Amino acid sequence: MFYYSFQVVFKEVPKHISLCFSICGCPLRCKGCHSPFLFKNENGKKLYKPDYVKKLKSYQNLATCVLFMGGEWEQEALIDFLRIAKQHHYKTCLYTGLNHVDLSISQYLDYLKTGSWQASLGGLESRQTNQRFTELATGKILNSYFQKNT
Ligand code: SF4
């Protein structure tokens, strides 16, 4: 699995500071994609397990969630990384452009953002969006955390 960037992010998972890996190789090609650099593996660096574990350990007192922006197209590798995150007591989240992911992946997730990018509908901050941010244990849709009160 190849990743384009690693960042500590504050808003992508409500109430969590997250370690965010943006994964290369996205096959979905949403029209108007804001991250076309994620299409090719060659744009990223290989995510090696020892480096990943090192990052998880070094942020253990700061961050509480590990977030994958994509990667469901490499199911086995993604499951492996999610399991490791769980073993290190992190919550886990996946942002996918699909409307559904297999249970073999979602059983290792606490949060899931689904839905392709559709410019006319907007992202999670839009009330018209086709995208959903779900807390999987309760089935609650948490989109309201991303929307400004008007
Ligand atoms: S899922 Fe995200 S990265 Fe992939 S094509 Fe759609 S907007 Fe781009």
Side-chain angles (χ1 to χ4, degrees), residues 26 28-30 33-35 38-39 97 117:
C26 180
L28 296 180
R29 305 291 187 273
C30 303
C33 169
H34 36 75
S35 313
L38 294 180
F39 294 170
W117 167 249

Side-chain angles (χ1 to χ4, degrees), residues 10-75:
F10 299 88
K11 292 183 180 167
E12 281 72 1
V13 182
K15 299 185 194 170
H16 288 282
I17 296 174
S18 302
L19 306 181
C20 174
F21 296 86
S22 295
I23 305 303
C24 296
C26 180
L28 296 180
R29 305 291 187 273
C30 303
K31 196 174 171 208
C33 169
H34 36 75
S35 313
F37 44 84
L38 294 180
F39 294 170
K40 288 185 178 172
N41 277 342
E42 302 88 273
N43 290 337
K45 290 174 278 190
K46 192 163 170 54
L47 185 53
Y48 289 105
K49 238 185 262 183
D51 294 340
Y52 174 74
V53 169
K54 203 169 160 188
K55 278 187 171 63
L56 264 49
K57 283 184 175 167
S58 62
Y59 285 95
Q60 211 135 34
N61 294 326
L62 170 73
T64 50
C65 185
V66 175
L67 165 61
F68 281 85
M69 292 284 186
E72 67 277 7
W73 48 86
E74 289 196 48
Q75 188 166 314

Side-chain angles (χ1 to χ4, degrees), residues 4 11 32 35 60-61 100 102-103 105 126-127 134 145:
Y4 181 82
K11 292 183 180 167
S35 313
Q60 211 135 34
N61 294 326
H100 174 78
D102 206 85
L103 182 64
I105 294 176
S126 160
R127 289 175 199 276
T134 308
Y145 282 87

